[in-house]
Amino acid sequence: MVRSYRKYEASSAFATVCTASSNAVWTPDNLSTTSKRSTGAGRAYVGANEGVLGWDVKKGELLSKWHDSDNRSEVTSLTQCAAQPDLFAAGYADGSIRIWDALSAQIVVSFNGHRSAVTHLHFDREGARLASGSRDTDVIVWNLLSETAEFRLRGHKDQITGLAFLRTSVARRQSPRTDEAVDAGDEEEVEEKYLLSTSKDALIKLWDLSSPHCVETHVAQTNGECWALGLSPDGAGCITAGNDGELKVWRIDLDTLTDLSTGMVDGKKADVLTSQGTLNRQGKDRTIGVTFHAKQDYIAVHGSEKAVEVWRIRPADEVHRHMQRRRRRRREKAAAAGDALAAETEEVTGPPDVNDVFVPHVIVRTGGKVRSASWAHSGSKTSKSLSLMVATTNNQLELYSVTTHRAQQKVQTAKESPDYTRSLSVETPGHRTDIRTLALSSDDRMLASASSGQLKIWNLKTQSCLRTLECGQALCSAFLPGDRIVLLGTKAGDLELYDISTSTLIESIPAHEGHAIWTLAVHPDGKSVVTGSADKTAKFWRFDIVDEDIPGTRRTTQRLKLTQTRQLKLSDDILSLCFSPDQRLLAVATLDNTVKVFFVDSLKLFLTLYGHKLPVLNVSISSDSKLIATCSADKNVRIWGLDFGDCHKAFFAHQDSVMQVSFISHPMERDEGHTLFSASKDGVVKVWDGDKFEQVQRLEGHKGEVWAMAVSRTGETVVTASHDKSIRLWEVGDDLIFLEEERERELEGLYEATLAQNLDRDARDEDGLLQDGGDEVATATKQTISTLTHGEKIMEALELGSADLEIMATHEREKARNASMAAPQRNPLFLALGNISAEQHVLSTLRKVPSSALNDALLVIPFTTLPTFFTFLAILLEKRLQPELAWRVTYFILQAHMKQIVASKGLLRNLMERILAAYEVWQEERQRVIGFNLAGLDVMGREVRERENIGGYVGDVVEEEEVMADKGRKKRAFASMA
């Protein structure tokens, strides 16, 4: 009989606040309301491996989690839409982009065009377009209204590090009734026809999006790489940053851009981007973030170290006073030295230097290396403090309050450094460093996770953190009998006892005198524990309950005490220990690549297991005490017999060091007694059959090395902790695994991955992406398994529909001769779908293809199928069945197969003329309907104006708040610099 196995499925992941792969976005609390007043500290949306988490910064609570079940790639970039604040774009490591609705936590649309990780995303002001940059050196502009890619911009030679749409005013536009150009009338009307991009190749490029091409290219940094781009809120300037703390300031000539867009440039065109000078940060590390404050003249600049530098932009009057002071000091120095300055030098002052305008304000020291920094609480222009949100690489969010320069001048002298305070943080739900050990309680309801400096107790059902305790650099841990005390072994050689209920350290025992305790194991009878250390000894400790006097009273309290009873000395460091469930044997793994098995009672050597080529990192003994499994840094897992010490099987288990192995300690079924789990630094957890020596299942999900693993008593749950700062639960599902089916599924996955890679490679070769002399602008296509599947479904629908079309046409001809003729025998599929027609079936197949993947799916269809396809498209246009979709498909196919259509010498001419005729008739109908509606709206508007005696259109309502905000807007200092 074929054996079946229980299937483990990814249940949930927790203990992650934010990851170092993605930036963080701050938003106010009132996303879903029209109120502009926010009472809380806002929300932080961060990338957390393959999901996006929304945190309440004030309470430290997790508000939302966005995760696509079909996605395994981690989030690498996040951005928010300004026009629709509830829309967020998330870029992933596989090159895909998903637009999320924050209110419903649903995916609005998915895009797939990049061939490697998305590094930067940027919405335009209207929220109609999204620009994305990737490590594949390309920039793609996506249209969110049509859910398609407009084009791909190629020109950079390394990954994209910054993107920004430029807003230019609309000077003149075409009159709707005459051929003359008239003034737009609204000075604030802007358009975004230009895109700024920076790359690691140290270039900054200006792109014209209306007729896609590169307008200008400049060298952004002098030290070889450009890592960040920050655009000022008014769009008149930007800052690029690179290595060695270098910041370069640029002025953007928006008037020249406006003239360029209207074609009013005569003669030699002036440069739009002009370098104003270079600033130098105090830190010399690589600058990875430049962020302008939305309402105040402050800039946050950070690198990869534990600091954010806040710079201030001086207003024009302060710059003038500064230059006057400098000139006065120069005069005084010249007078003291007895020199005379030239008269024109005294009177004429040149333009201010960039260092006169941009001055350092404060350096905010953070609790970890900074991944991203963003301004929070935009507030008003006169607010006394600024809020800065920082996401760090050590799994925490911090909110700092920075005192402004104006407020600082009122309270203290300018010589003292400005103040900043850490007002809020989100750090409790995760560890600051890698989790090195996990331990489950006896009832599998609590989990203890320990890292360097922190011990956390979790509720496994709710994944909430119950306790956070300070500890040493933990290497091993265990719950003691009763589940009220956790025992830790540290790198300093101390045994630390923690009481969970009171959150206190009961006792710290210097067990191994400065040598790391690599492992500990509780005896199966629950009365003692053994510890193994780098001092080459294994020490046995007995649990004793002693009465301890309470200071100041005559009462006593009971306390747990560890008493050393025995000691086992070996010739090498001890890396792992394990008792056999029958309490008879103790297995000890040492640094000499061997495992020694001793009798527990006499500590005499029973077996020595030779075979591993590198040190054995962990051992586990099966519940029946018949098998012992060992894992090593040589990437192998070996299964041995405990009766004679013979190696039953050695298999190459992982692609990196295997950190831990574990049998199920109390299996529910006898067949699961030899089921083995292994966790490795390659990020994969595997399930093995210890009898057949075959891999049962492969559990993927971690984005880094798996350091620790814990298996529940009955094997229902497996808990793993990784370098990606997450703790993941793998629980038994309802499905069963059969080894043959699992091997077939793995082969199919490998075949599909290879097929998609080859398809995409062919598309890239045809598009010229791999040639250095490729076009600057190209189509943004990417072939995947999903697009291939959609294309095959369309071809299948066309084949079935073509046959049915012929059957029905023949039936109609014969029915004209014989009216009483019976209906023909159609394909059962059409009858099962409600006796629909062939064109309705083709239309429903096209509608099921996501709009963003439709173009890629249509590329799969070969040229030989076009006559059938054009026939159905003509029918759809003639019968007005989704004519918009039919025309979009027709237009794209004409673009994709234009060369073959021309070379076919009129083969498809009749079908194309039929499609064109149907399209023109449909277009005329739409024009008449739209014209009638416009005339009706014109009449209604005239009646409203006559009744209320007001001018202009009905919809021309300007909010008073926006007008006041525009009137109070000051020009930035960029305008005052030559």
Side-chain angles (χ1 to χ4, degrees):
M1 183 177 177
V2 178
R3 185 184 167 185
S4 62
Y5 301 86
R6 294 193 295 178
K7 184 175 183 179
Y8 288 85
E9 299 173 350
S11 173
S12 59
F14 58 98
T16 308
V17 177
C18 59
T19 52
S21 61
S22 173
N23 62 311
V25 176
W26 180 90
T27 67
D29 293 319
N30 50 4
L31 273 181
S32 58
T33 62
T34 57
S35 171
K36 295 189 176 182
R37 198 176 292 273
S38 177
T39 57
R43 299 183 182 183
Y45 289 92
V46 298
N49 296 320
E50 69 274 16
V52 179
L53 303 181
W55 294 97
D56 186 320
V57 180
K58 189 173 185 178
K59 298 178 181 178
E61 295 178 354
L62 182 63
L63 300 176
S64 61
K65 183 175 182 179
W66 310 336
H67 172 52
D68 185 4
S69 58
D70 298 330
N71 171 56
R72 289 185 178 178
S73 300
E74 59 184 337
V75 180
T76 54
S77 181
L78 273 177
T79 189
Q80 184 185 18
C81 179
Q84 292 179 280
D86 56 331
L87 287 186
F88 289 80
Y92 294 81
D94 60 355
S96 61
I97 299 169
R98 292 168 178 82
I99 311 296
W100 291 90
D101 183 359
L103 303 181
S104 62
Q106 298 294 322
I107 297 176
V108 179
V109 62
S110 296
F111 297 122
N112 206 339
H114 289 291
R115 290 170 174 85
S116 57
V118 178
T119 55
H120 205 81
L121 294 168
H122 190 68
F123 280 102
D124 68 353
R125 189 181 185 186
E126 303 297 327
R129 289 180 299 177
L130 174 70
S132 63
S134 168
R135 287 183 183 170
D136 61 8
T137 74
D138 293 342
V139 177
I140 299 179
V141 178
W142 307 90
N143 192 319
L144 297 180
L145 302 180
S146 63
E147 299 182 2
T148 56
E150 292 187 354
F151 41 77
R152 183 194 302 268
L153 302 175
R154 301 182 309 202
H156 287 291
K157 302 299 181 186
D158 212 327
Q159 73 176 49
I160 306 300
T161 56
L163 293 170
F165 284 99
L166 297 182
R167 296 193 295 272
T168 57
S169 60
V170 181
R172 301 176 70 83
R173 65 183 179 190
Q174 186 75 19
S175 171
R177 293 183 175 84
T178 65
D179 293 334
E180 298 178 358
V182 296
D183 288 337
D186 184 6
E187 294 182 358
E188 293 300 324
E189 187 176 357
V190 295
E191 58 185 359
E192 293 174 309
K193 296 170 59 177
Y194 295 93
L195 181 71
L196 210 58
S197 67
T198 56
S199 169
K200 189 182 167 186
D201 61 6
L203 297 180
I204 179 170
K205 286 179 175 285
L206 178 65
W207 304 88
D208 186 346
L209 302 181
S210 55
S211 57
H213 70 284
C214 182
V215 179
E216 287 183 11
T217 301
H218 299 273
V219 178
Q221 304 301 129
T222 59
N223 50 15
E225 292 177 344
C226 179
W227 283 99
L229 168 68
L231 183 70
S232 65
D234 60 357
C238 66
I239 293 178
T240 57
N243 294 331
D244 302 328
E246 180 187 74
L247 307 175
K248 201 167 186 179
V249 183
W250 299 83
R251 183 172 63 87
I252 302 173
D253 193 344
L254 297 179
D255 295 333
T256 302
L257 267 186
T258 303
D259 296 340
L260 192 65
S261 62
T262 55
M264 297 174 61
V265 179
D266 296 329
K268 185 178 181 301
K269 177 180 73 69
D271 285 342
V272 177
L273 287 169
T274 308
S275 175
Q276 299 295 290
T278 302
L279 303 171
N280 290 295
R281 292 173 47 226
Q282 181 172 340
K284 298 302 179 184
D285 55 325
R286 183 178 73 202
T287 305
I288 58 176
V290 178
T291 309
F292 282 78
H293 196 281
K295 303 217 175 147
Q296 299 205 42
D297 295 336
Y298 290 90
I299 309 168
V301 184
H302 69 88
S304 55
E305 297 300 326
K306 298 181 179 182
V308 178
E309 299 184 23
V310 179
W311 291 66
R312 185 172 62 89
I313 306 175
R314 285 173 168 163
D317 55 348
E318 186 180 343
V319 172
H320 180 69
R321 290 196 303 270
H322 172 72
M323 295 187 69
Q324 292 292 337
R325 284 196 304 271
R326 189 170 60 181
R327 190 177 66 172
R328 187 167 58 251
R329 285 196 300 269
R330 192 166 63 245
R331 284 178 181 172
E332 293 172 354
K333 287 182 180 179
D339 299 333
L341 289 175
E344 63 272 13
T345 309
E346 293 181 3
E347 297 300 328
V348 180
T349 59
D353 187 64
V354 66
N355 289 285
D356 298 329
V357 180
F358 298 89
V359 291
H361 179 60
V362 66
I363 298 179
V364 179
R365 304 293 177 182
T366 59
K369 292 185 177 180
V370 181
R371 173 55 182 89
S372 74
S374 57
W375 294 107
H377 291 296
S378 296
S380 64
K381 297 181 180 181
T382 59
S383 58
K384 297 181 180 180
S385 64
L386 310 171
S387 292
L388 182 69
M389 190 189 74
V390 178
T392 61
T393 58
N394 64 346
N395 200 27
Q396 68 177 341
L397 291 169
E398 298 178 317
L399 192 69
Y400 289 91
S401 179
V402 181
T403 308
T404 61
H405 178 69
R406 182 178 300 175
Q408 192 67 27
Q409 283 182 325
K410 294 179 180 179
V411 296
Q412 59 185 19
T413 61
K415 293 182 180 180
E416 297 180 19
S417 61
D419 291 334
Y420 70 89
T421 56
R422 190 177 90 155
S423 53
L424 296 168
S425 66
V426 182
E427 57 184 358
T428 302
H431 285 267
R432 305 285 77 76
T433 55
D434 288 357
I435 299 170
R436 290 291 178 166
T437 174
L438 294 172
L440 281 169
S441 61
S442 60
D443 56 2
D444 298 330
R445 294 175 62 185
M446 285 192 298
L447 172 74
S449 62
S451 62
S452 177
Q454 278 189 333
L455 166 66
K456 288 182 178 287
I457 309 298
W458 306 84
N459 184 329
L460 267 195
K461 188 175 182 180
T462 61
Q463 287 98 48
S464 58
C465 183
L466 305 176
R467 297 283 188 276
T468 299
L469 308 171
E470 292 185 3
C471 67
Q473 189 171 351
L475 298 176
C476 51
S477 62
F479 273 94
L480 297 190
D483 296 335
R484 293 185 58 187
I485 296 175
V486 175
L487 177 64
L488 289 186
T490 66
K491 194 171 184 180
D494 298 331
L495 280 176
E496 298 179 351
L497 285 165
Y498 291 92
D499 190 331
I500 299 174
S501 58
T502 59
S503 301
T504 56
L505 172 64
I506 300 175
E507 188 180 8
S508 179
I509 306 169
H512 290 270
E513 298 175 354
H515 295 85
I517 301 176
W518 292 110
T519 178
L520 60 87
V522 179
H523 196 279
D525 63 5
K527 296 179 180 179
S528 63
V529 65
V530 60
T531 58
S533 169
D535 64 359
K536 306 176 185 178
T537 63
K539 294 184 178 181
F540 294 79
W541 307 82
R542 186 179 71 243
F543 301 144
D544 292 330
I545 304 297
V546 297
D547 292 331
E548 189 177 63
D549 294 333
I550 300 177
T553 67
R554 295 182 180 180
R555 292 179 297 168
T556 60
T557 181
Q558 290 185 332
R559 185 175 67 83
L560 179 68
K561 184 177 179 60
L562 296 186
T563 306
Q564 183 180 344
T565 56
R566 292 186 293 173
Q567 181 172 312
L568 174 64
K569 290 187 178 181
L570 297 176
S571 58
D572 286 281
D573 295 6
I574 298 174
L575 301 181
S576 182
L577 291 165
C578 182
F579 282 102
S580 63
D582 62 5
Q583 310 178 17
R584 194 171 63 94
L585 302 173
L586 174 67
V588 182
T590 54
L591 199 60
D592 61 356
N593 310 344
T594 65
V595 177
K596 298 176 176 63
V597 183
F598 297 90
F599 290 105
V600 174
D601 51 2
S602 61
L603 293 184
K604 288 185 177 179
L605 182 64
F606 172 50
L607 296 170
T608 302
L609 310 179
Y610 298 95
H612 283 291
K613 297 178 177 61
L614 288 173
V616 177
L617 302 179
N618 195 242
V619 296
S620 179
I621 299 177
S622 62
S623 58
D624 57 5
S625 303
K626 292 182 178 179
L627 296 181
I628 179 172
T630 60
C631 64
S632 167
D634 62 8
K635 309 174 188 177
N636 287 305
V637 171
R638 286 176 177 260
I639 297 178
W640 318 73
L642 262 184
D643 43 6
F644 302 108
D646 55 324
C647 181
H648 290 184
K649 186 68 175 179
F651 36 82
F652 185 80
H654 291 271
Q655 301 298 320
D656 208 332
S657 300
V658 188
M659 301 302 297
Q660 207 155 346
V661 289
S662 180
F663 284 104
I664 300 174
S665 59
H666 296 81
M668 298 284 287
E669 300 178 10
R670 187 177 179 183
D671 292 342
E672 294 183 344
H674 291 170
T675 299
L676 179 69
F677 299 88
S678 64
S680 168
K681 288 172 70 175
D682 63 3
V684 179
V685 179
K686 291 186 178 181
V687 187
W688 307 87
D689 185 339
D691 293 324
K692 294 185 177 181
F693 314 119
E694 291 191 30
Q695 178 184 319
V696 177
Q697 196 178 355
R698 179 186 176 97
L699 305 177
E700 295 178 307
H702 280 295
K703 305 298 182 293
E705 301 93 335
V706 180
W707 294 116
M709 178 178 66
V711 181
S712 64
R713 290 169 59 86
T714 58
E716 298 282 338
T717 306
V718 179
V719 188
T720 53
S722 167
H723 176 67
D724 61 13
K725 301 295 191 299
S726 70
I727 300 175
R728 292 180 183 264
L729 299 182
W730 313 88
E731 295 184 340
V732 173
D734 297 330
D735 297 336
L736 294 176
I737 287 180
F738 298 91
L739 292 182
E740 292 297 327
E741 292 182 2
E742 193 69 13
R743 296 293 88 79
E744 290 178 6
R745 193 178 294 111
E746 288 180 2
L747 289 174
E748 285 177 7
L750 184 62
Y751 169 73
E752 288 181 354
T754 307
L755 178 62
Q757 192 175 1
N758 292 336
L759 278 172
D760 193 41
R761 186 184 296 117
D762 295 341
R764 292 166 69 186
D765 289 337
E766 291 177 7
D767 196 29
L769 289 178
L770 298 181
Q771 288 87 25
D772 292 335
D775 295 333
E776 194 175 60
V777 180
T779 56
T781 60
K782 181 183 178 183
Q783 290 295 338
T784 61
I785 290 297
S786 61
T787 58
L788 178 63
T789 305
H790 291 313
E792 290 175 346
K793 288 181 179 178
I794 293 174
M795 287 191 288
E796 184 181 348
L798 290 174
E799 185 179 349
L800 291 174
S802 176
D804 187 75
L805 213 60
E806 292 180 5
I807 292 174
M808 296 306 293
T810 305
H811 172 68
E812 290 294 331
R813 288 194 299 269
E814 294 182 355
K815 191 176 181 181
R817 301 180 197 148
N818 184 7
S820 61
M821 186 174 180
Q825 183 68 32
R826 301 179 66 198
N827 192 298
L829 177 64
F830 296 104
L831 301 177
L833 294 174
N835 201 21
I836 61 174
S837 62
E839 58 269 18
Q840 287 175 331
H841 178 56
V842 172
L843 177 62
S844 65
T845 305
L846 285 172
R847 290 178 62 183
K848 289 177 183 177
V849 182
S851 180
S852 57
L854 181 59
N855 291 354
D856 291 330
L858 293 175
L859 289 176
V860 178
I861 299 174
F863 180 74
T864 54
T865 317
L866 289 195
T868 306
F869 207 175
F870 278 158
T871 302
F872 280 102
L873 291 173
I875 294 173
L876 294 177
L877 284 168
E878 289 168 352
K879 292 187 176 181
R880 305 294 186 270
L881 298 173
Q882 292 275 326
E884 298 89 353
L885 177 61
W887 180 250
R888 176 191 166 183
V889 172
T890 304
Y891 186 73
F892 181 78
I893 290 179
L894 287 174
Q895 285 182 314
H897 297 280
M898 179 56 70
K899 293 181 181 179
Q900 293 91 328
I901 292 174
V902 173
S904 63
K905 297 181 180 179
L907 178 65
L908 302 173
R909 180 170 183 175
N910 293 333
L911 286 172
M912 292 171 63
E913 288 179 349
R914 180 181 170 188
I915 291 175
L916 182 61
Y919 169 73
E920 288 178 345
V921 173
W922 169 66
Q923 191 182 36
E924 289 176 3
E925 291 177 0
R926 293 293 94 194
Q927 284 179 344
R928 285 197 294 271
V929 171
I930 293 173
F932 180 81
N933 291 338
L934 284 175
L937 287 172
D938 199 9
V939 172
M940 293 173 63
R942 196 180 307 123
E943 290 178 354
V944 170
R945 285 194 299 273
E946 290 174 356
R947 189 181 307 117
E948 299 183 4
N949 194 19
I950 61 172
Y953 291 104
V954 179
D956 292 344
V957 180
V958 181
E959 292 186 9
E960 183 180 353
E961 206 170 324
E962 293 183 2
V963 174
M964 295 301 294
D966 292 337
K967 286 183 179 178
R969 184 178 299 156
K970 291 192 299 183
K971 280 200 171 183
R972 295 271 174 171
F974 289 104
S976 65
M977 297 172 60

